[in-house]
Short mmCIF file of all heavy atoms in Angstrom, two decimals:
data_model
loop_
_atom_site.label_atom_id
_atom_site.label_comp_id
_atom_site.label_asym_id
_atom_site.label_seq_id
_atom_site.Cartn_x
_atom_site.Cartn_y
_atom_site.Cartn_z
N LYS A 146 44.63 -12.54 80.71
CA LYS A 146 45.00 -11.25 80.25
C LYS A 146 45.38 -10.33 81.40
O LYS A 146 46.38 -9.53 81.29
CB LYS A 146 43.71 -10.65 79.55
CG LYS A 146 43.90 -9.14 79.05
CD LYS A 146 42.69 -8.63 78.48
CE LYS A 146 42.93 -7.22 77.90
NZ LYS A 146 41.78 -6.60 77.32
N VAL A 147 44.73 -10.52 82.57
CA VAL A 147 45.14 -9.78 83.83
C VAL A 147 46.60 -10.10 84.21
O VAL A 147 47.34 -9.29 84.54
CB VAL A 147 44.13 -9.96 84.91
CG1 VAL A 147 44.67 -9.29 86.26
CG2 VAL A 147 42.81 -9.41 84.60
N THR A 148 46.78 -11.47 84.11
CA THR A 148 48.16 -11.99 84.53
C THR A 148 49.19 -11.33 83.63
O THR A 148 50.26 -10.96 84.02
CB THR A 148 48.25 -13.45 84.49
OG1 THR A 148 47.17 -13.97 85.33
CG2 THR A 148 49.59 -13.94 84.91
N GLN A 149 48.91 -11.30 82.22
CA GLN A 149 49.76 -10.83 81.38
C GLN A 149 50.11 -9.28 81.55
O GLN A 149 51.20 -8.79 81.62
CB GLN A 149 49.26 -10.95 79.89
CG GLN A 149 50.26 -10.47 78.79
CD GLN A 149 49.67 -10.62 77.37
OE1 GLN A 149 48.50 -10.94 77.27
NE2 GLN A 149 50.53 -10.44 76.36
N GLU A 150 49.02 -8.53 81.86
CA GLU A 150 49.14 -7.09 82.10
C GLU A 150 50.00 -6.86 83.42
O GLU A 150 50.84 -5.91 83.39
CB GLU A 150 47.82 -6.41 82.34
CG GLU A 150 47.00 -6.35 81.03
CD GLU A 150 45.58 -5.86 81.20
OE1 GLU A 150 45.14 -5.79 82.42
OE2 GLU A 150 44.88 -5.58 80.29
N GLU A 151 49.79 -7.59 84.37
CA GLU A 151 50.59 -7.40 85.71
C GLU A 151 52.05 -7.81 85.44
O GLU A 151 52.92 -7.15 85.97
CB GLU A 151 49.95 -8.34 86.78
CG GLU A 151 48.63 -7.84 87.20
CD GLU A 151 48.65 -6.46 87.86
OE1 GLU A 151 49.64 -6.06 88.46
OE2 GLU A 151 47.56 -5.74 87.75
N THR A 152 52.23 -8.80 84.59
CA THR A 152 53.61 -9.22 84.23
C THR A 152 54.37 -8.10 83.51
O THR A 152 55.47 -7.70 83.82
CB THR A 152 53.63 -10.46 83.43
OG1 THR A 152 52.88 -11.52 84.19
CG2 THR A 152 55.04 -10.96 83.10
N GLU A 153 53.64 -7.46 82.47
CA GLU A 153 54.25 -6.40 81.82
C GLU A 153 54.49 -5.24 82.67
O GLU A 153 55.50 -4.49 82.57
CB GLU A 153 53.26 -5.99 80.70
CG GLU A 153 53.21 -7.06 79.54
CD GLU A 153 52.19 -6.79 78.51
OE1 GLU A 153 51.43 -5.74 78.72
OE2 GLU A 153 52.15 -7.42 77.50
N ARG A 154 53.56 -4.97 83.64
CA ARG A 154 53.78 -3.82 84.61
C ARG A 154 55.02 -4.09 85.44
O ARG A 154 55.80 -3.11 85.64
CB ARG A 154 52.49 -3.73 85.48
CG ARG A 154 52.59 -2.71 86.60
CD ARG A 154 51.35 -2.69 87.39
NE ARG A 154 51.48 -1.91 88.62
CZ ARG A 154 50.63 -1.76 89.62
NH1 ARG A 154 49.52 -2.49 89.58
NH2 ARG A 154 50.79 -0.95 90.56
N MET A 155 55.18 -5.29 85.89
CA MET A 155 56.44 -5.49 86.68
C MET A 155 57.72 -5.44 85.81
O MET A 155 58.75 -4.98 86.28
CB MET A 155 56.32 -7.03 87.34
CG MET A 155 55.44 -7.06 88.43
SD MET A 155 55.55 -8.65 89.33
CE MET A 155 55.00 -9.79 88.10
N ILE A 156 57.55 -5.90 84.60
CA ILE A 156 58.79 -5.69 83.64
C ILE A 156 59.09 -4.33 83.41
O ILE A 156 60.25 -3.92 83.39
CB ILE A 156 58.45 -6.54 82.32
CG1 ILE A 156 58.43 -8.01 82.47
CG2 ILE A 156 59.58 -6.14 81.33
CD1 ILE A 156 57.95 -8.86 81.29
N ARG A 157 58.05 -3.43 83.18
CA ARG A 157 58.36 -2.06 82.98
C ARG A 157 58.96 -1.46 84.28
O ARG A 157 59.87 -0.57 84.20
CB ARG A 157 57.00 -1.26 82.71
CG ARG A 157 56.44 -1.54 81.36
CD ARG A 157 55.42 -0.57 81.00
NE ARG A 157 54.33 -0.42 82.00
CZ ARG A 157 53.20 -1.23 81.94
NH1 ARG A 157 53.05 -2.10 80.97
NH2 ARG A 157 52.24 -1.05 82.82
N MET A 158 58.46 -1.83 85.42
CA MET A 158 59.06 -1.31 86.58
C MET A 158 60.43 -1.71 86.83
O MET A 158 61.41 -0.89 87.20
CB MET A 158 58.21 -1.80 87.89
CG MET A 158 58.74 -1.23 89.20
SD MET A 158 57.83 -1.90 90.56
CE MET A 158 56.11 -1.51 90.22
N ILE A 159 60.81 -2.96 86.56
CA ILE A 159 62.13 -3.44 86.77
C ILE A 159 63.06 -2.74 85.67
O ILE A 159 64.20 -2.42 85.94
CB ILE A 159 62.21 -5.17 86.53
CG1 ILE A 159 61.43 -5.71 87.65
CG2 ILE A 159 63.63 -5.53 86.30
CD1 ILE A 159 61.31 -7.22 87.54
N ASN A 160 62.55 -2.55 84.40
CA ASN A 160 63.37 -1.89 83.47
C ASN A 160 63.66 -0.45 83.88
O ASN A 160 64.79 0.08 83.70
CB ASN A 160 62.66 -1.76 82.13
CG ASN A 160 62.57 -3.20 81.40
OD1 ASN A 160 63.59 -4.00 81.64
ND2 ASN A 160 61.62 -3.44 80.56
N ASP A 161 62.64 0.19 84.49
CA ASP A 161 62.87 1.54 85.03
C ASP A 161 63.88 1.56 86.13
O ASP A 161 64.70 2.47 86.16
CB ASP A 161 61.55 2.10 85.54
CG ASP A 161 60.61 2.50 84.41
OD1 ASP A 161 61.03 2.62 83.29
OD2 ASP A 161 59.31 2.65 84.68
N LEU A 162 63.77 0.58 86.92
CA LEU A 162 64.79 0.46 88.09
C LEU A 162 66.23 0.22 87.53
O LEU A 162 67.17 0.83 87.99
CB LEU A 162 64.38 -0.66 89.04
CG LEU A 162 63.17 -0.41 89.96
CD1 LEU A 162 62.73 -1.63 90.70
CD2 LEU A 162 63.40 0.72 90.87
N LEU A 163 66.33 -0.68 86.48
CA LEU A 163 67.66 -0.87 85.98
C LEU A 163 68.18 0.43 85.31
O LEU A 163 69.41 0.71 85.30
CB LEU A 163 67.45 -1.99 84.88
CG LEU A 163 67.24 -3.37 85.57
CD1 LEU A 163 67.00 -4.39 84.33
CD2 LEU A 163 68.48 -3.86 86.28
N GLN A 164 67.29 1.14 84.63
CA GLN A 164 67.71 2.35 83.93
C GLN A 164 68.17 3.41 85.02
O GLN A 164 69.24 4.03 84.84
CB GLN A 164 66.54 2.97 83.12
CG GLN A 164 66.91 4.19 82.34
CD GLN A 164 65.77 4.61 81.50
OE1 GLN A 164 64.69 4.05 81.47
NE2 GLN A 164 65.95 5.73 80.76
N LEU A 165 67.43 3.57 86.11
CA LEU A 165 67.85 4.39 87.22
C LEU A 165 69.13 4.02 87.81
O LEU A 165 70.00 4.86 88.16
CB LEU A 165 66.82 4.46 88.34
CG LEU A 165 65.58 5.40 88.04
CD1 LEU A 165 64.48 5.25 89.12
CD2 LEU A 165 65.98 6.87 88.00
N SER A 166 69.37 2.68 87.97
CA SER A 166 70.58 2.12 88.54
C SER A 166 71.74 2.47 87.61
O SER A 166 72.85 2.85 88.12
CB SER A 166 70.45 0.62 88.61
OG SER A 166 71.70 0.09 89.10
N ARG A 167 71.55 2.29 86.28
CA ARG A 167 72.66 2.77 85.41
C ARG A 167 72.97 4.19 85.38
O ARG A 167 74.04 4.72 85.37
CB ARG A 167 72.26 2.40 83.99
CG ARG A 167 72.31 0.91 83.71
CD ARG A 167 72.31 0.55 82.20
NE ARG A 167 71.00 0.98 81.61
CZ ARG A 167 69.90 0.18 81.50
NH1 ARG A 167 70.01 -1.02 81.97
NH2 ARG A 167 68.81 0.66 80.97
N MET A 168 71.83 5.09 85.59
CA MET A 168 72.14 6.51 85.83
C MET A 168 72.81 6.76 87.04
O MET A 168 73.78 7.64 87.09
CB MET A 168 70.79 7.23 85.83
CG MET A 168 70.05 7.25 84.45
SD MET A 168 68.43 8.04 84.54
CE MET A 168 67.90 7.95 82.72
N ASP A 169 72.44 6.09 88.19
CA ASP A 169 73.20 6.31 89.43
C ASP A 169 74.61 5.99 89.37
O ASP A 169 75.46 6.65 89.99
CB ASP A 169 72.46 5.56 90.55
CG ASP A 169 71.13 6.13 90.87
OD1 ASP A 169 70.81 7.23 90.57
OD2 ASP A 169 70.25 5.36 91.42
#
């Protein structure tokens, strides 16, 4: 469960970074 939560956290961060990159 902890591994799944950390994986989802990294996915959210990467999605946020991709979204910021598209905005930039």
Side-chain angles (χ1 to χ4, degrees):
K146 182 180 180 180
V147 172
T148 303
Q149 183 182 12
E150 290 175 351
E151 293 297 330
T152 302
E153 291 175 352
R154 177 182 171 186
M155 286 191 295
I156 290 173
R157 288 196 304 271
M158 183 185 301
I159 291 172
N160 287 334
D161 289 343
L162 289 173
L163 290 175
Q164 186 176 355
L165 279 173
S166 176
R167 287 193 295 270
M168 290 179 176
D169 289 340

